[in-house]
């Protein structure tokens, strides 16, 4: 099963495609995209929807996962929330199961970490369960991590 993981910022969408299991994940691809700056908000949201659906088709994804802002985050952006909503709708419309969607607490649970360790601590590591991400920014790592978490269903 291929899972697409997403981490949204107000200006970019980071994504990763993985397959395998939570304990032995294989990263197929990862990247980021952003709508053209000249687009209105409505045009940008449509563009994001189309781009996600093309990514689903390209990687034959069966499930999707989304890293939400932590509840205590001070950077709660309405634009981010709108883009996240559009991505969830695009995944659902394409027939993808929503395998994981949440903040670090949810990701920690899906990765089987329990309360002893937070998934956030992985951001300081060079890799995640065999996936080298030493050259990735935190948002790209979030996309990979939530995709891996989604492999657990």
């Amino acid at each position: 099963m291929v899972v697409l993981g997403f981490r949204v910022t107000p200006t970019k969408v980071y994504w990763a495609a993985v397959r395998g299991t939570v304990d032995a994940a294989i990263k197929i691809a990862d990247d980021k995209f952003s709508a053209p700056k000249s687009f209105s908000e409505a045009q940008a949201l449509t563009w994001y929807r189309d781009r996600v659906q093309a990514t689903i088709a390209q990687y034959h994804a069966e499930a999707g996962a989304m890293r939400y802002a932590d509840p205590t985050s001070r950077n709660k952006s309405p634009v981010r929330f709108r883009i996240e909503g559009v991505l969830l709708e695009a995944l659902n419309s394409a027939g993808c199961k929503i395998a994981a969607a949440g903040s670090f607490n949810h990701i920690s649970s899906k990765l089987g970490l329990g309360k002893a360790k937070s998934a956030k601590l992985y951001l300081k590591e060079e890799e995640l369960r065999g996936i080298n991400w030493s050259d990735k920014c935190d948002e790209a790592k979030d996309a990979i991590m939530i995709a891996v978490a989604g492999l657990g269903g």
Side-chain angles (χ1 to χ4, degrees), residues 74-121:
R74 294 179 185 210
N75 298 325
K76 295 181 182 177
S77 166
V79 174
R80 177 178 175 180
F81 294 150
R82 288 183 190 107
I83 296 169
E84 287 174 348
V86 165
L87 299 187
L88 286 172
E89 188 282 329
L91 288 162
N92 186 65
S93 290
C96 287
K97 171 186 169 189
I98 305 304
S103 63
F104 278 120
N105 287 339
H106 181 72
I107 296 169
S108 297
S109 172
K110 287 286 196 175
L111 292 175
L113 300 177
K115 296 182 188 257
K117 183 177 180 183
S118 169
K120 193 172 193 174
L121 296 175

Side-chain angles (χ1 to χ4, degrees), residues 128-148:
L128 172 70
R129 300 186 177 181
I131 298 173
N132 181 351
W133 64 11
S134 59
D135 62 338
K136 304 294 180 189
C137 67
D138 284 353
E139 292 83 6
K141 290 177 181 180
D142 284 350
I144 295 167
M145 192 180 330
I146 191 67
V148 171

Side-chain angles (χ1 to χ4, degrees), residues 18-123:
V18 300
R19 64 181 169 83
T21 67
V22 171
D23 295 320
I26 299 165
K27 181 175 64 96
I28 300 167
D30 70 287
D31 206 351
K32 63 182 177 286
F33 51 79
S34 50
K37 292 181 181 183
S38 63
F39 279 14
S40 69
E41 183 179 30
Q43 290 170 318
L45 293 174
T46 300
W47 186 91
Y48 282 119
R49 183 182 194 279
D50 293 344
R51 183 67 188 258
V52 168
Q53 288 190 324
T55 304
I56 293 165
Q58 179 179 357
Y59 293 99
H60 307 286
E62 298 173 52
M66 178 108 38
R67 155 75 162 89
Y68 293 150
D70 288 316
T72 59
S73 173
R74 294 179 185 210
N75 298 325
K76 295 181 182 177
S77 166
V79 174
R80 177 178 175 180
F81 294 150
R82 288 183 190 107
I83 296 169
E84 287 174 348
V86 165
L87 299 187
L88 286 172
E89 188 282 329
L91 288 162
N92 186 65
S93 290
C96 287
K97 171 186 169 189
I98 305 304
S103 63
F104 278 120
N105 287 339
H106 181 72
I107 296 169
S108 297
S109 172
K110 287 286 196 175
L111 292 175
L113 300 177
K115 296 182 188 257
K117 183 177 180 183
S118 169
K120 193 172 193 174
L121 296 175
Y122 276 119
L123 297 176

